[in-house]
Amino acid sequence: MKTYLALLSVLLFSCEIFGQISNNKYDYFLRKLQIPGSSDTKIVVNKNGDTTLQAYYNSRDVVNNTHQDFMKIYKGTPFFKNGWYKGTISTESSRDMEFLMAFNVQKNELYVVEDPQKDAITIKPEAFTIEGHHFSQFNKAYYEVIYISKNTILKEHSCTLTGNGTTEKTGYEASGGVGEFEGEFIKSSKLMMLKQDEVVQLPKGKQLFNLFGDKKPLVEDYAKVNKINLKSENGIVNIFKYYNSLENPQ
C-alpha cells in the first residue's frame, strides 16, 4: 500500500516533461530527450515503414534578429520496440498497476502515462512488464529477466546514437537515401547472469560449460546430443534448465 501511495504521489505531482499522446502510439512529442538543441521530438513511421525519431529545432539569432525552424530525422528510436505500449508495474501489495509506457533503452529510464489526456512522467519502479517482457532493477539499472533459477539469466539492452550530423534538412532529400537521416539509434543486447547480487556477462561458446562444475560432462553431452545452439537465447536457457534438473532431480 505504501508503494502504491508513493507511486500515485509521483504521478500526481511530478513535473510534466512530455507532450500529449494521440490514438497513434507513435505520435507522441517528447521534450528533454538527449538530442542537442532540439525543442520537441516525436516517433514517426515513414512511408517506407521505417520507424524514425523526428527532432524539431527552433533556431534564434538574437544579434541578427533571425529565426529559423527546421527538422532532423534519425533512423530508429531509443525506445524498446520503438514505441509506447500497455504495461504493468507491480506494487508491494502484489497489485499490478497498468499504464501506457515506454522504456528508453539509451537512458535506461521508464516513462508512463496514467491518462492518455495527460503528460507522461519518468518513474523508477523495482520492476515492470512491457509487451510481455519483464524487467527488474539490479545495481540501479534495468535488465530483462530471461530465466529465473539458481543461476538467473538476464538480458542487458543498450542503445547508442551513431552518425550524429549537423546538416539541416530541406525536405527534398531522397527517401531512403544516405542523406535522409542525421544518425541512427543502434540497439544491441547481451546475456548476463546474476551472481551473488552482481550482474556479470555470461561466458560465450563452450566456455559456458565451465559454470557447471562436476556436471560439466553431462551438460556437454546434453548440448551435443540435442544439437543446442550456444549462440541462441533459447539454447542457453535450455542448457540451464537441464543443469537445474540435474541439481534438483524430481
Side-chain angles (χ1 to χ4, degrees), residues 165-226:
T166 58
T167 305
E168 297 178 11
K169 295 301 175 189
T170 64
Y172 294 97
E173 287 76 20
S175 178
V178 176
E180 181 182 5
F181 303 112
E182 293 293 335
E184 181 176 2
F185 288 97
I186 304 294
K187 295 187 181 73
S188 61
S189 63
K190 56 186 177 183
L191 292 182
M192 314 292 286
M193 182 176 67
L194 189 61
K195 185 177 182 180
Q196 296 178 347
D197 296 327
E198 293 293 327
V199 178
V200 298
Q201 188 170 357
L202 273 179
K204 294 183 178 180
K206 294 183 179 181
Q207 295 297 317
L208 182 70
F209 297 127
N210 293 331
L211 296 174
F212 305 125
D214 60 353
K215 300 295 191 300
K216 176 180 177 180
L218 293 174
V219 177
E220 286 180 318
D221 288 343
Y222 172 81
K224 183 177 181 180
V225 170
N226 292 278

Short mmCIF file of all heavy atoms in Angstrom, two decimals, residues 165-226:
data_model
loop_
_atom_site.label_atom_id
_atom_site.label_comp_id
_atom_site.label_asym_id
_atom_site.label_seq_id
_atom_site.Cartn_x
_atom_site.Cartn_y
_atom_site.Cartn_z
N GLY A 165 24.82 13.94 -37.30
CA GLY A 165 25.26 15.01 -38.19
C GLY A 165 24.74 16.37 -37.79
O GLY A 165 24.04 16.53 -36.81
N THR A 166 25.09 17.38 -38.58
CA THR A 166 24.66 18.75 -38.28
C THR A 166 23.98 19.43 -39.46
O THR A 166 23.64 20.60 -39.40
CB THR A 166 25.89 19.60 -37.88
OG1 THR A 166 26.85 19.57 -38.95
CG2 THR A 166 26.54 19.06 -36.62
N THR A 167 23.76 18.70 -40.55
CA THR A 167 23.16 19.29 -41.74
C THR A 167 21.67 19.49 -41.56
O THR A 167 20.97 18.58 -41.16
CB THR A 167 23.39 18.39 -42.98
OG1 THR A 167 24.79 18.15 -43.11
CG2 THR A 167 22.87 19.06 -44.24
N GLU A 168 21.18 20.68 -41.88
CA GLU A 168 19.77 20.95 -41.77
C GLU A 168 19.03 20.32 -42.94
O GLU A 168 19.53 20.27 -44.06
CB GLU A 168 19.52 22.46 -41.75
CG GLU A 168 20.15 23.16 -40.55
CD GLU A 168 19.93 24.64 -40.58
OE1 GLU A 168 19.12 25.09 -41.41
OE2 GLU A 168 20.56 25.36 -39.79
N LYS A 169 17.80 19.85 -42.70
CA LYS A 169 17.01 19.20 -43.72
C LYS A 169 16.21 20.23 -44.53
O LYS A 169 15.67 21.18 -43.99
CB LYS A 169 16.04 18.19 -43.08
CG LYS A 169 16.76 17.03 -42.42
CD LYS A 169 17.62 16.29 -43.41
CE LYS A 169 18.43 15.20 -42.73
NZ LYS A 169 19.42 14.60 -43.60
N THR A 170 16.17 20.03 -45.84
CA THR A 170 15.42 20.92 -46.72
C THR A 170 14.05 20.36 -47.04
O THR A 170 13.17 21.09 -47.50
CB THR A 170 16.18 21.10 -48.04
OG1 THR A 170 16.25 19.84 -48.72
CG2 THR A 170 17.59 21.59 -47.79
N GLY A 171 13.88 19.03 -46.84
CA GLY A 171 12.61 18.39 -47.20
C GLY A 171 12.64 17.78 -48.58
O GLY A 171 11.69 17.13 -49.02
N TYR A 172 13.77 17.97 -49.30
CA TYR A 172 13.88 17.43 -50.66
C TYR A 172 14.85 16.26 -50.75
O TYR A 172 15.21 15.82 -51.83
CB TYR A 172 14.34 18.54 -51.62
CG TYR A 172 13.32 19.64 -51.79
CD1 TYR A 172 13.41 20.81 -51.04
CD2 TYR A 172 12.25 19.49 -52.66
CE1 TYR A 172 12.46 21.82 -51.17
CE2 TYR A 172 11.30 20.49 -52.80
CZ TYR A 172 11.41 21.65 -52.06
OH TYR A 172 10.46 22.63 -52.18
N GLU A 173 15.28 15.74 -49.59
CA GLU A 173 16.20 14.60 -49.61
C GLU A 173 15.49 13.38 -50.18
O GLU A 173 14.29 13.18 -49.94
CB GLU A 173 16.70 14.29 -48.20
CG GLU A 173 17.70 15.29 -47.65
CD GLU A 173 17.06 16.57 -47.23
OE1 GLU A 173 15.84 16.57 -47.00
OE2 GLU A 173 17.75 17.60 -47.12
N ALA A 174 16.23 12.53 -50.91
CA ALA A 174 15.66 11.32 -51.48
C ALA A 174 15.29 10.35 -50.38
O ALA A 174 16.09 10.08 -49.48
CB ALA A 174 16.66 10.67 -52.44
N SER A 175 14.07 9.84 -50.41
CA SER A 175 13.61 8.91 -49.39
C SER A 175 14.43 7.64 -49.43
O SER A 175 14.61 7.04 -50.49
CB SER A 175 12.12 8.58 -49.62
OG SER A 175 11.68 7.65 -48.67
N GLY A 176 14.94 7.25 -48.28
CA GLY A 176 15.74 6.03 -48.21
C GLY A 176 17.19 6.24 -48.53
O GLY A 176 17.99 5.33 -48.45
N GLY A 177 17.56 7.47 -48.94
CA GLY A 177 18.94 7.74 -49.30
C GLY A 177 19.82 7.93 -48.09
O GLY A 177 19.35 8.07 -46.96
N VAL A 178 21.14 7.98 -48.35
CA VAL A 178 22.10 8.12 -47.26
C VAL A 178 21.88 9.42 -46.50
O VAL A 178 22.02 9.50 -45.29
CB VAL A 178 23.54 8.06 -47.81
CG1 VAL A 178 24.56 8.32 -46.70
CG2 VAL A 178 23.79 6.71 -48.46
N GLY A 179 21.49 10.50 -47.24
CA GLY A 179 21.33 11.80 -46.62
C GLY A 179 20.01 12.00 -45.92
O GLY A 179 19.75 13.10 -45.41
N GLU A 180 19.17 11.00 -45.91
CA GLU A 180 17.85 11.18 -45.31
C GLU A 180 17.92 11.28 -43.79
O GLU A 180 17.14 12.00 -43.17
CB GLU A 180 16.93 10.02 -45.69
CG GLU A 180 15.53 10.15 -45.10
CD GLU A 180 14.64 8.97 -45.44
OE1 GLU A 180 15.13 8.00 -46.06
OE2 GLU A 180 13.45 9.02 -45.08
N PHE A 181 18.86 10.57 -43.16
CA PHE A 181 18.92 10.51 -41.71
C PHE A 181 20.16 11.21 -41.18
O PHE A 181 21.25 11.11 -41.75
CB PHE A 181 18.93 9.05 -41.24
CG PHE A 181 17.74 8.26 -41.71
CD1 PHE A 181 17.89 7.22 -42.62
CD2 PHE A 181 16.47 8.55 -41.24
CE1 PHE A 181 16.80 6.49 -43.06
CE2 PHE A 181 15.37 7.83 -41.67
CZ PHE A 181 15.53 6.80 -42.58
N GLU A 182 19.97 11.92 -40.05
CA GLU A 182 21.10 12.56 -39.38
C GLU A 182 21.95 11.55 -38.63
O GLU A 182 23.13 11.76 -38.41
CB GLU A 182 20.58 13.61 -38.39
CG GLU A 182 19.91 14.80 -39.04
CD GLU A 182 20.88 15.65 -39.83
OE1 GLU A 182 22.09 15.62 -39.52
OE2 GLU A 182 20.44 16.34 -40.75
N GLY A 183 21.34 10.49 -38.21
CA GLY A 183 22.02 9.45 -37.45
C GLY A 183 21.08 8.28 -37.26
O GLY A 183 19.95 8.29 -37.75
N GLU A 184 21.55 7.30 -36.54
CA GLU A 184 20.74 6.10 -36.32
C GLU A 184 20.92 5.59 -34.90
O GLU A 184 22.03 5.56 -34.37
CB GLU A 184 21.13 5.00 -37.30
CG GLU A 184 20.31 3.73 -37.17
CD GLU A 184 20.64 2.68 -38.22
OE1 GLU A 184 21.55 2.93 -39.03
OE2 GLU A 184 19.99 1.63 -38.22
N PHE A 185 19.80 5.23 -34.29
CA PHE A 185 19.84 4.60 -32.98
C PHE A 185 20.07 3.10 -33.17
O PHE A 185 19.24 2.41 -33.78
CB PHE A 185 18.52 4.83 -32.23
CG PHE A 185 18.34 6.24 -31.76
CD1 PHE A 185 17.59 7.14 -32.50
CD2 PHE A 185 18.93 6.67 -30.57
CE1 PHE A 185 17.42 8.45 -32.07
CE2 PHE A 185 18.77 7.98 -30.13
CZ PHE A 185 18.01 8.87 -30.89
N ILE A 186 21.20 2.62 -32.70
CA ILE A 186 21.57 1.22 -32.86
C ILE A 186 21.37 0.50 -31.53
O ILE A 186 21.96 0.86 -30.51
CB ILE A 186 23.05 1.06 -33.28
CG1 ILE A 186 23.32 1.84 -34.57
CG2 ILE A 186 23.39 -0.41 -33.45
CD1 ILE A 186 22.58 1.31 -35.78
N LYS A 187 20.51 -0.51 -31.56
CA LYS A 187 20.24 -1.28 -30.35
C LYS A 187 21.00 -2.60 -30.37
O LYS A 187 21.21 -3.19 -31.43
CB LYS A 187 18.74 -1.56 -30.21
CG LYS A 187 17.89 -0.31 -29.99
CD LYS A 187 16.46 -0.72 -29.71
CE LYS A 187 15.57 0.50 -29.51
NZ LYS A 187 15.31 1.21 -30.78
N SER A 188 21.41 -3.05 -29.20
CA SER A 188 22.10 -4.32 -29.07
C SER A 188 21.74 -4.92 -27.71
O SER A 188 21.16 -4.25 -26.85
CB SER A 188 23.62 -4.15 -29.18
OG SER A 188 24.10 -3.30 -28.16
N SER A 189 22.07 -6.18 -27.53
CA SER A 189 21.79 -6.83 -26.25
C SER A 189 22.81 -7.93 -26.02
O SER A 189 23.43 -8.43 -26.96
CB SER A 189 20.37 -7.40 -26.23
OG SER A 189 20.23 -8.43 -27.20
N LYS A 190 22.97 -8.30 -24.77
CA LYS A 190 23.84 -9.42 -24.42
C LYS A 190 23.31 -10.08 -23.17
O LYS A 190 22.67 -9.44 -22.32
CB LYS A 190 25.29 -8.97 -24.23
CG LYS A 190 25.49 -7.87 -23.20
CD LYS A 190 26.95 -7.41 -23.19
CE LYS A 190 27.16 -6.26 -22.21
NZ LYS A 190 28.57 -5.77 -22.25
N LEU A 191 23.55 -11.38 -23.07
CA LEU A 191 23.05 -12.14 -21.93
C LEU A 191 23.99 -12.02 -20.74
O LEU A 191 25.22 -12.05 -20.88
CB LEU A 191 22.88 -13.61 -22.32
CG LEU A 191 21.77 -13.91 -23.33
CD1 LEU A 191 21.67 -15.40 -23.60
CD2 LEU A 191 20.43 -13.38 -22.84
N MET A 192 23.39 -11.86 -19.58
CA MET A 192 24.13 -11.69 -18.35
C MET A 192 23.66 -12.73 -17.34
O MET A 192 22.67 -13.45 -17.57
CB MET A 192 23.91 -10.28 -17.79
CG MET A 192 24.03 -9.16 -18.80
SD MET A 192 25.71 -8.92 -19.42
CE MET A 192 26.45 -8.12 -17.99
N MET A 193 24.32 -12.81 -16.21
CA MET A 193 23.94 -13.73 -15.15
C MET A 193 24.03 -13.03 -13.81
O MET A 193 24.95 -12.23 -13.58
CB MET A 193 24.85 -14.96 -15.17
CG MET A 193 24.50 -16.01 -14.12
SD MET A 193 25.54 -17.49 -14.28
CE MET A 193 27.14 -16.81 -13.82
N LEU A 194 23.06 -13.30 -12.95
CA LEU A 194 23.09 -12.74 -11.61
C LEU A 194 23.91 -13.66 -10.72
O LEU A 194 23.56 -14.82 -10.51
CB LEU A 194 21.66 -12.61 -11.07
CG LEU A 194 21.49 -11.85 -9.75
CD1 LEU A 194 21.98 -10.41 -9.89
CD2 LEU A 194 20.05 -11.89 -9.31
N LYS A 195 25.03 -13.14 -10.23
CA LYS A 195 25.94 -13.95 -9.44
C LYS A 195 26.27 -13.21 -8.15
O LYS A 195 26.95 -12.17 -8.17
CB LYS A 195 27.22 -14.22 -10.24
CG LYS A 195 28.19 -15.17 -9.55
CD LYS A 195 29.39 -15.45 -10.45
CE LYS A 195 30.35 -16.43 -9.82
NZ LYS A 195 31.51 -16.71 -10.70
N GLN A 196 25.75 -13.72 -7.03
CA GLN A 196 25.99 -13.11 -5.73
C GLN A 196 25.66 -11.61 -5.74
O GLN A 196 26.47 -10.76 -5.37
CB GLN A 196 27.45 -13.33 -5.30
CG GLN A 196 27.79 -14.80 -5.11
CD GLN A 196 29.24 -15.02 -4.72
OE1 GLN A 196 30.05 -14.11 -4.82
NE2 GLN A 196 29.56 -16.21 -4.29
N ASP A 197 24.46 -11.31 -6.23
CA ASP A 197 23.94 -9.94 -6.30
C ASP A 197 24.69 -9.04 -7.26
O ASP A 197 24.48 -7.82 -7.29
CB ASP A 197 23.94 -9.28 -4.90
CG ASP A 197 23.00 -9.99 -3.94
OD1 ASP A 197 21.97 -10.50 -4.40
OD2 ASP A 197 23.31 -10.04 -2.73
N GLU A 198 25.57 -9.62 -8.05
CA GLU A 198 26.26 -8.85 -9.08
C GLU A 198 25.85 -9.37 -10.45
O GLU A 198 25.61 -10.57 -10.63
CB GLU A 198 27.79 -8.98 -8.93
CG GLU A 198 28.35 -8.33 -7.67
CD GLU A 198 28.20 -6.82 -7.69
OE1 GLU A 198 28.28 -6.23 -8.79
OE2 GLU A 198 28.01 -6.23 -6.61
N VAL A 199 25.75 -8.46 -11.42
CA VAL A 199 25.40 -8.84 -12.78
C VAL A 199 26.68 -8.97 -13.59
O VAL A 199 27.44 -8.01 -13.74
CB VAL A 199 24.47 -7.80 -13.43
CG1 VAL A 199 24.15 -8.19 -14.87
CG2 VAL A 199 23.18 -7.66 -12.62
N VAL A 200 26.93 -10.18 -14.10
CA VAL A 200 28.14 -10.44 -14.88
C VAL A 200 27.76 -11.03 -16.22
O VAL A 200 26.70 -11.66 -16.37
CB VAL A 200 29.10 -11.40 -14.13
CG1 VAL A 200 29.56 -10.80 -12.83
CG2 VAL A 200 28.42 -12.75 -13.89
N GLN A 201 28.60 -10.84 -17.20
CA GLN A 201 28.30 -11.35 -18.54
C GLN A 201 28.49 -12.86 -18.59
O GLN A 201 29.44 -13.41 -18.00
CB GLN A 201 29.18 -10.68 -19.59
CG GLN A 201 28.81 -11.04 -21.02
CD GLN A 201 29.54 -10.19 -22.05
OE1 GLN A 201 30.29 -9.29 -21.70
NE2 GLN A 201 29.32 -10.49 -23.32
N LEU A 202 27.59 -13.53 -19.29
CA LEU A 202 27.72 -14.97 -19.45
C LEU A 202 28.91 -15.31 -20.33
O LEU A 202 29.16 -14.63 -21.33
CB LEU A 202 26.45 -15.54 -20.11
CG LEU A 202 25.28 -15.94 -19.22
CD1 LEU A 202 24.15 -16.46 -20.09
CD2 LEU A 202 25.69 -17.00 -18.21
N PRO A 203 29.65 -16.36 -19.99
CA PRO A 203 30.74 -16.81 -20.88
C PRO A 203 30.17 -17.19 -22.24
O PRO A 203 29.03 -17.66 -22.34
CB PRO A 203 31.32 -18.03 -20.15
CG PRO A 203 30.90 -17.86 -18.73
CD PRO A 203 29.56 -17.17 -18.78
N LYS A 204 30.94 -17.00 -23.28
CA LYS A 204 30.46 -17.29 -24.64
C LYS A 204 30.95 -18.66 -25.11
O LYS A 204 32.01 -19.15 -24.69
CB LYS A 204 30.94 -16.21 -25.61
CG LYS A 204 30.33 -14.84 -25.34
CD LYS A 204 30.79 -13.83 -26.38
CE LYS A 204 30.14 -12.47 -26.14
NZ LYS A 204 30.57 -11.47 -27.14
N GLY A 205 30.16 -19.26 -26.00
CA GLY A 205 30.54 -20.53 -26.60
C GLY A 205 30.72 -21.63 -25.57
O GLY A 205 30.00 -21.70 -24.57
N LYS A 206 31.69 -22.46 -25.79
CA LYS A 206 31.93 -23.61 -24.92
C LYS A 206 32.43 -23.22 -23.54
O LYS A 206 32.44 -24.07 -22.63
CB LYS A 206 32.90 -24.58 -25.60
CG LYS A 206 32.34 -25.23 -26.87
CD LYS A 206 33.31 -26.22 -27.47
CE LYS A 206 32.71 -26.88 -28.71
NZ LYS A 206 33.63 -27.88 -29.31
N GLN A 207 32.85 -21.97 -23.38
CA GLN A 207 33.27 -21.51 -22.05
C GLN A 207 32.10 -21.54 -21.07
O GLN A 207 32.30 -21.57 -19.85
CB GLN A 207 33.83 -20.08 -22.15
CG GLN A 207 35.11 -19.96 -22.96
CD GLN A 207 36.26 -20.74 -22.36
OE1 GLN A 207 36.46 -20.72 -21.14
NE2 GLN A 207 37.01 -21.44 -23.18
N LEU A 208 30.88 -21.55 -21.62
CA LEU A 208 29.69 -21.60 -20.77
C LEU A 208 29.68 -22.85 -19.89
O LEU A 208 29.22 -22.81 -18.74
CB LEU A 208 28.44 -21.58 -21.66
CG LEU A 208 27.08 -21.58 -20.96
CD1 LEU A 208 26.85 -20.24 -20.27
CD2 LEU A 208 25.96 -21.85 -21.96
N PHE A 209 30.20 -23.96 -20.41
CA PHE A 209 30.17 -25.23 -19.67
C PHE A 209 30.99 -25.19 -18.38
O PHE A 209 30.77 -26.00 -17.48
CB PHE A 209 30.67 -26.38 -20.55
CG PHE A 209 29.79 -26.62 -21.76
CD1 PHE A 209 30.34 -26.65 -23.03
CD2 PHE A 209 28.43 -26.82 -21.62
CE1 PHE A 209 29.54 -26.87 -24.14
CE2 PHE A 209 27.62 -27.04 -22.72
CZ PHE A 209 28.17 -27.06 -23.99
N ASN A 210 31.93 -24.24 -18.30
CA ASN A 210 32.77 -24.15 -17.10
C ASN A 210 31.97 -23.72 -15.86
O ASN A 210 32.47 -23.82 -14.73
CB ASN A 210 33.92 -23.17 -17.33
CG ASN A 210 34.90 -23.68 -18.39
OD1 ASN A 210 35.06 -24.89 -18.56
ND2 ASN A 210 35.54 -22.76 -19.09
N LEU A 211 30.74 -23.24 -16.08
CA LEU A 211 29.91 -22.81 -14.96
C LEU A 211 29.31 -23.99 -14.19
O LEU A 211 28.82 -23.81 -13.07
CB LEU A 211 28.76 -21.92 -15.46
CG LEU A 211 29.13 -20.58 -16.10
CD1 LEU A 211 27.86 -19.92 -16.65
CD2 LEU A 211 29.81 -19.66 -15.09
N PHE A 212 29.35 -25.19 -14.78
CA PHE A 212 28.54 -26.28 -14.25
C PHE A 212 29.31 -27.30 -13.41
O PHE A 212 28.79 -28.37 -13.09
CB PHE A 212 27.82 -26.97 -15.41
CG PHE A 212 27.01 -26.02 -16.24
CD1 PHE A 212 27.19 -25.91 -17.60
CD2 PHE A 212 26.07 -25.20 -15.64
CE1 PHE A 212 26.45 -25.02 -18.36
CE2 PHE A 212 25.31 -24.31 -16.39
CZ PHE A 212 25.51 -24.22 -17.75
N GLY A 213 30.53 -26.97 -13.03
CA GLY A 213 31.28 -27.79 -12.09
C GLY A 213 31.37 -29.25 -12.49
O GLY A 213 31.69 -29.57 -13.64
N ASP A 214 31.06 -30.14 -11.55
CA ASP A 214 31.20 -31.56 -11.83
C ASP A 214 30.10 -32.08 -12.78
O ASP A 214 30.16 -33.22 -13.24
CB ASP A 214 31.20 -32.37 -10.52
CG ASP A 214 29.91 -32.19 -9.73
OD1 ASP A 214 29.07 -31.34 -10.12
OD2 ASP A 214 29.75 -32.89 -8.72
N LYS A 215 29.12 -31.23 -13.08
CA LYS A 215 28.06 -31.62 -14.02
C LYS A 215 28.42 -31.23 -15.46
O LYS A 215 27.66 -31.47 -16.39
CB LYS A 215 26.74 -30.94 -13.65
CG LYS A 215 26.22 -31.28 -12.25
CD LYS A 215 25.85 -32.75 -12.15
CE LYS A 215 25.08 -33.06 -10.87
NZ LYS A 215 25.82 -32.75 -9.64
N LYS A 216 29.60 -30.67 -15.63
CA LYS A 216 30.01 -30.19 -16.94
C LYS A 216 29.94 -31.28 -18.02
O LYS A 216 29.39 -31.05 -19.11
CB LYS A 216 31.43 -29.61 -16.87
CG LYS A 216 32.00 -29.18 -18.21
CD LYS A 216 33.42 -28.62 -18.05
CE LYS A 216 34.01 -28.26 -19.42
NZ LYS A 216 35.40 -27.71 -19.28
N PRO A 217 30.49 -32.51 -17.79
CA PRO A 217 30.43 -33.53 -18.84
C PRO A 217 29.00 -33.88 -19.24
O PRO A 217 28.72 -34.08 -20.43
CB PRO A 217 31.13 -34.74 -18.19
CG PRO A 217 32.02 -34.14 -17.16
CD PRO A 217 31.26 -32.98 -16.61
N LEU A 218 28.08 -33.95 -18.26
CA LEU A 218 26.70 -34.28 -18.57
C LEU A 218 26.03 -33.16 -19.38
O LEU A 218 25.28 -33.44 -20.33
CB LEU A 218 25.92 -34.50 -17.27
CG LEU A 218 26.31 -35.73 -16.44
CD1 LEU A 218 25.55 -35.74 -15.12
CD2 LEU A 218 26.02 -37.00 -17.23
N VAL A 219 26.32 -31.93 -19.02
CA VAL A 219 25.73 -30.80 -19.75
C VAL A 219 26.29 -30.75 -21.17
O VAL A 219 25.56 -30.47 -22.13
CB VAL A 219 25.99 -29.48 -19.00
CG1 VAL A 219 25.43 -28.30 -19.80
CG2 VAL A 219 25.37 -29.51 -17.61
N GLU A 220 27.58 -31.01 -21.32
CA GLU A 220 28.18 -31.03 -22.65
C GLU A 220 27.54 -32.11 -23.51
O GLU A 220 27.25 -31.88 -24.70
CB GLU A 220 29.70 -31.26 -22.54
CG GLU A 220 30.47 -30.05 -22.05
CD GLU A 220 31.95 -30.31 -21.95
OE1 GLU A 220 32.33 -31.41 -21.47
OE2 GLU A 220 32.74 -29.43 -22.34
N ASP A 221 27.34 -33.28 -22.95
CA ASP A 221 26.70 -34.37 -23.69
C ASP A 221 25.28 -33.99 -24.10
O ASP A 221 24.84 -34.27 -25.22
CB ASP A 221 26.69 -35.66 -22.86
CG ASP A 221 28.07 -36.28 -22.73
OD1 ASP A 221 28.95 -35.92 -23.53
OD2 ASP A 221 28.26 -37.10 -21.82
N TYR A 222 24.56 -33.37 -23.18
CA TYR A 222 23.18 -32.95 -23.47
C TYR A 222 23.15 -31.97 -24.64
O TYR A 222 22.32 -32.07 -25.54
CB TYR A 222 22.57 -32.31 -22.23
CG TYR A 222 21.24 -31.66 -22.47
CD1 TYR A 222 20.06 -32.42 -22.50
CD2 TYR A 222 21.14 -30.27 -22.67
CE1 TYR A 222 18.83 -31.82 -22.72
CE2 TYR A 222 19.91 -29.67 -22.90
CZ TYR A 222 18.77 -30.45 -22.93
OH TYR A 222 17.54 -29.86 -23.17
N ALA A 223 24.07 -30.99 -24.61
CA ALA A 223 24.12 -29.99 -25.68
C ALA A 223 24.47 -30.63 -27.02
O ALA A 223 23.91 -30.27 -28.06
CB ALA A 223 25.14 -28.91 -25.32
N LYS A 224 25.38 -31.61 -26.98
CA LYS A 224 25.80 -32.27 -28.21
C LYS A 224 24.69 -33.14 -28.79
O LYS A 224 24.39 -33.07 -30.00
CB LYS A 224 27.05 -33.13 -27.94
CG LYS A 224 27.61 -33.80 -29.18
CD LYS A 224 28.89 -34.56 -28.84
CE LYS A 224 29.47 -35.22 -30.08
NZ LYS A 224 30.73 -35.96 -29.77
N VAL A 225 24.07 -33.95 -27.96
CA VAL A 225 23.01 -34.86 -28.42
C VAL A 225 21.81 -34.08 -28.96
O VAL A 225 21.20 -34.45 -29.97
CB VAL A 225 22.56 -35.79 -27.27
CG1 VAL A 225 21.30 -36.56 -27.66
CG2 VAL A 225 23.69 -36.76 -26.91
N ASN A 226 21.48 -32.98 -28.30
CA ASN A 226 20.31 -32.20 -28.69
C ASN A 226 20.63 -31.05 -29.65
O ASN A 226 19.75 -30.25 -29.97
CB ASN A 226 19.62 -31.65 -27.44
CG ASN A 226 18.98 -32.73 -26.60
OD1 ASN A 226 17.87 -33.18 -26.88
ND2 ASN A 226 19.69 -33.18 -25.57
#
